[in-house]
Amino acid sequence: MAEKRANPAGVAPADDPTPADPWTDVAQRLGTDLFLELQPDPDAGRRGRGATRRRALIEALRSAILEGRLPAGTALPPYRSLAADLGLARGTVSAVYQELIAEGWLTARQGSATRVAEGSSRPPAMIEESSPVTPSAIRHDFFLGQPCAAMFPRTDWIRATRRVLTETADDAFAPAHPQGRPELRSALAAYLGRTRGVRTTGGEIVLGTSVSSALELLSRSVFGDTIAVESHGLPFHWQPLERGGTRVVPIPIDHDGMVVADLEHSGAGAVLLTPSHQFPTGVALSPARRMQVVDWARRTGAIIVEDDYDGEFRYDRDPVGALQALGPDVVIHAGSMSKSLSPAVRVGWLALPPHLVQVVLDAKGIREPDASIVDQLVLAELIDTGAYDRHIRRSRQVYRDRRDALVAALDEIGLELPGIAAGLHAVIPVDHAEEDALVHRAYERGISIVGQSLFRHPAADPLPSGGVAVGFGTPAPSTFTTDLRALTALLADRAPA
């Protein structure tokens, strides 16, 4: 004889939900959502329908747990809420919960939610097969292209968020215009003009999520068949261009930046540059070549795209203005908040020549995935109140101190760092033959560095000398000294006497 189980609600089970049940209206507004695929027997008669639904719910919950969709510790909806969602009797769902608790699939405590029990999900071997590998062996992180996460201006961000959520009109949270919020476009136009010399207006700025996504958008709308890039640069520059259908041609670089004379014979209808701080070498495009590339674009009808990489983090050299100021009719100025604030803030922009604004908007689309409207409003508030400027100046001083500490530590072991007057990384010169081995030894010691060859376009020739790139902005403040000591020890083993 089947054992009677207590019903937590004190309600007798029923095969079908009561048609007019006020609790159903309440339960549909409570609890949490849970998707379950119920497979009842279509041939079951009315008399056996309750038992069939009960079995279907048990199997659906077991499958969700075994497949990992309901990991250990997950709180299930209250049985009355789930019953209302699934159109089942409350007694049926209550009985299912009680049976799975008895079998060890679920756990329940008085006054707490029913949860998935520990050890009830799929076997560890199955989890290991599908889980991504994490670099847990890295103890000294000098990863490139990101700021120190601990320096994110949390207090300013919270204050700005509270203000914009309190004062912004309701229509700001409706579907957005593809160009982005006018508050941030206007704030950016003023900021870029004041700090980088960019000649633009809020009406000529299009907001997005990143430089990478912006490049793919431009490759679908503005560029011709071919674009020139620096022979050594960021893979996330040329890869989205190729995804957008544009052929990429690498142009050599030297101590003055891209060799602009080679553009004349490249057949390219556009060029992508990092003129303020070339990545990875750190050199700035010389004044003569700046004028030369703008003249080339005007003569040929080409377009220049300027990624203002690390433009805000300069230390001991005169500010290098944006290339766009020399040719706002032929230069697209691209930037993002990924290094000045955080890669987690997914906001980027294009300052476009006026005749390209509508072209880009048409390609972008009305409901194209875009930067969070709340983030756009918060950033506008940070810029307008001066909080963003204060954050940049604080950050610049911290990174200058770190740069100086790195230069001094390597000077003690006979290594000199070129191209480090700006930015958040340094390239330490080594022989080509030694580059891969040094990176391998670094990882063996738990140090994350990158070989310079990683940034060479596959169709480009190597630079005259090799190197390893070190992101000195990444380490946490509490570990920077220890991290720097580990890096210095690694390099001292191979440094010349």
Side-chain angles (χ1 to χ4, degrees):
M1 183 175 179
E3 178 185 351
K4 276 193 173 181
R5 302 190 188 279
N7 188 300
V11 179
D15 289 338
D16 293 299
T18 305
D21 186 352
W23 170 253
T24 300
D25 295 333
V26 176
Q28 286 173 342
R29 298 194 298 269
L30 303 177
T32 56
D33 288 340
L34 175 59
F35 172 75
L36 294 173
E37 207 167 335
L38 301 183
Q39 301 290 341
D41 184 357
D43 298 325
R46 182 175 180 81
R47 181 179 296 273
R49 188 180 301 170
T52 300
R53 289 176 170 179
R54 180 169 168 274
R55 286 195 301 271
L57 180 56
I58 287 175
E59 291 305 317
L61 284 168
R62 285 175 179 159
S63 296
I65 294 170
L66 284 171
E67 292 168 4
R69 291 193 293 111
L70 293 177
T74 300
L76 299 186
Y79 74 90
R80 290 173 291 183
S81 175
L82 185 59
D85 288 346
L86 298 179
L88 299 177
R90 299 195 299 273
T92 298
V93 179
S94 173
V96 167
Y97 276 21
Q98 292 296 330
E99 182 164 337
L100 292 177
I101 289 170
E103 293 176 358
W105 294 89
L106 305 177
T107 61
R109 290 185 302 177
Q110 187 69 29
S112 180
T114 301
R115 297 181 180 274
V116 178
E118 294 289 339
S120 59
S121 59
R122 54 185 173 169
M126 296 176 66
I127 297 175
E128 289 171 7
E129 286 178 9
S130 61
S131 298
V133 177
T134 56
S136 56
I138 298 300
R139 301 186 303 277
H140 310 289
D141 189 2
F142 290 96
F143 192 74
L144 300 180
Q146 63 187 45
C148 177
M151 293 181 61
F152 186 81
R154 297 174 186 240
T155 301
D156 289 332
W157 189 271
I158 292 170
R159 184 182 296 117
T161 301
R162 183 182 297 113
R163 179 161 181 167
V164 300
L165 291 180
T166 301
E167 300 181 0
T168 303
D170 293 343
D171 61 4
F173 304 100
H177 189 279
Q179 195 165 357
R181 289 297 303 178
E183 296 92 336
L184 180 56
R185 291 189 282 110
S186 296
L188 273 174
Y191 176 81
L192 293 173
R194 172 168 53 84
T195 64
R196 305 294 301 125
V198 174
R199 295 159 59 187
T200 190
T201 66
E204 295 164 358
I205 290 178
V206 174
L207 301 177
T209 57
S210 66
V211 171
S212 179
S213 62
L215 291 175
E216 188 167 354
L217 174 64
L218 291 171
S219 71
R220 293 189 277 111
S221 58
V222 173
F223 303 148
D225 297 331
T226 306
I227 185 171
V229 300
E230 294 158 333
S231 63
H232 287 65
L234 293 161
F236 80 71
H237 275 164
W238 64 70
Q239 289 169 354
L241 294 171
E242 292 172 341
R243 284 197 302 268
T246 305
R247 186 172 69 91
V248 174
V249 177
I251 304 296
I253 56 175
D254 60 18
H255 59 279
D256 284 330
M258 176 182 279
V259 181
V260 176
D262 288 13
L263 281 174
E264 300 286 353
H265 316 293
S266 67
V271 62
L272 172 61
L273 295 166
T274 52
S276 297
H277 187 234
Q278 200 281 326
F279 186 92
T281 63
V283 301
L285 190 66
S286 68
R289 290 186 181 178
R290 286 173 166 247
M291 297 299 300
Q292 187 181 2
V293 72
V294 170
D295 176 67
W296 166 81
R298 285 176 172 155
R299 282 189 293 102
T300 62
I303 286 293
I304 303 167
V305 183
E306 168 189 32
D307 182 357
D308 198 25
Y309 191 86
D310 288 341
E312 291 164 310
F313 294 122
R314 61 188 184 278
Y315 307 123
D316 48 14
R317 73 178 183 198
D318 293 335
V320 178
L323 179 65
Q324 190 265 5
L326 297 178
D329 55 324
V330 293
V331 179
I332 298 173
H333 181 87
S336 76
M337 297 289 178
S338 64
K339 283 173 284 298
S340 60
L341 276 176
S342 165
V345 178
R346 306 297 292 162
V347 176
W349 61 85
L350 293 172
L352 296 158
H355 69 282
L356 292 179
V357 174
Q358 193 59 48
V359 174
V360 171
L361 288 178
D362 290 343
K364 191 169 187 278
I366 296 176
R367 298 302 296 272
E368 182 78 9
D370 213 336
S372 160
I373 295 300
V374 175
D375 285 356
Q376 292 184 39
L377 293 170
V378 170
L379 286 170
E381 176 74 9
L382 291 175
I383 294 172
D384 287 341
T385 60
Y388 184 70
D389 278 89
R390 292 191 295 273
H391 168 72
I392 292 297
R393 295 181 72 83
R394 286 194 301 266
S395 300
R396 188 183 297 142
Q397 187 57 54
V398 170
Y399 296 138
R400 181 200 297 269
D401 292 342
R402 290 190 175 197
R403 188 280 310 263
D404 292 346
L406 176 63
V407 170
L410 297 188
D411 183 64
E412 291 181 0
I413 60 173
L415 288 175
E416 182 178 350
L417 295 183
I420 198 169
L424 300 179
H425 78 279
V427 176
I428 301 170
V430 299
D431 292 337
H432 280 297
E434 191 179 4
E435 186 178 303
D436 289 343
L438 183 59
V439 171
H440 180 72
R441 286 199 303 273
Y443 274 85
E444 287 181 338
R445 299 189 188 188
I447 305 172
S448 172
I449 60 176
V450 182
Q452 181 177 268
S453 59
L454 178 69
F455 308 111
R456 180 174 65 88
H457 188 278
D461 294 328
L463 291 174
S465 62
V468 292
V470 174
F472 57 82
T474 308
S478 59
T479 67
F480 179 74
T481 301
T482 303
D483 296 334
L484 182 56
R485 190 178 301 121
L487 176 66
T488 306
L490 168 76
L491 297 169
D493 291 344
R494 49 79 47 206

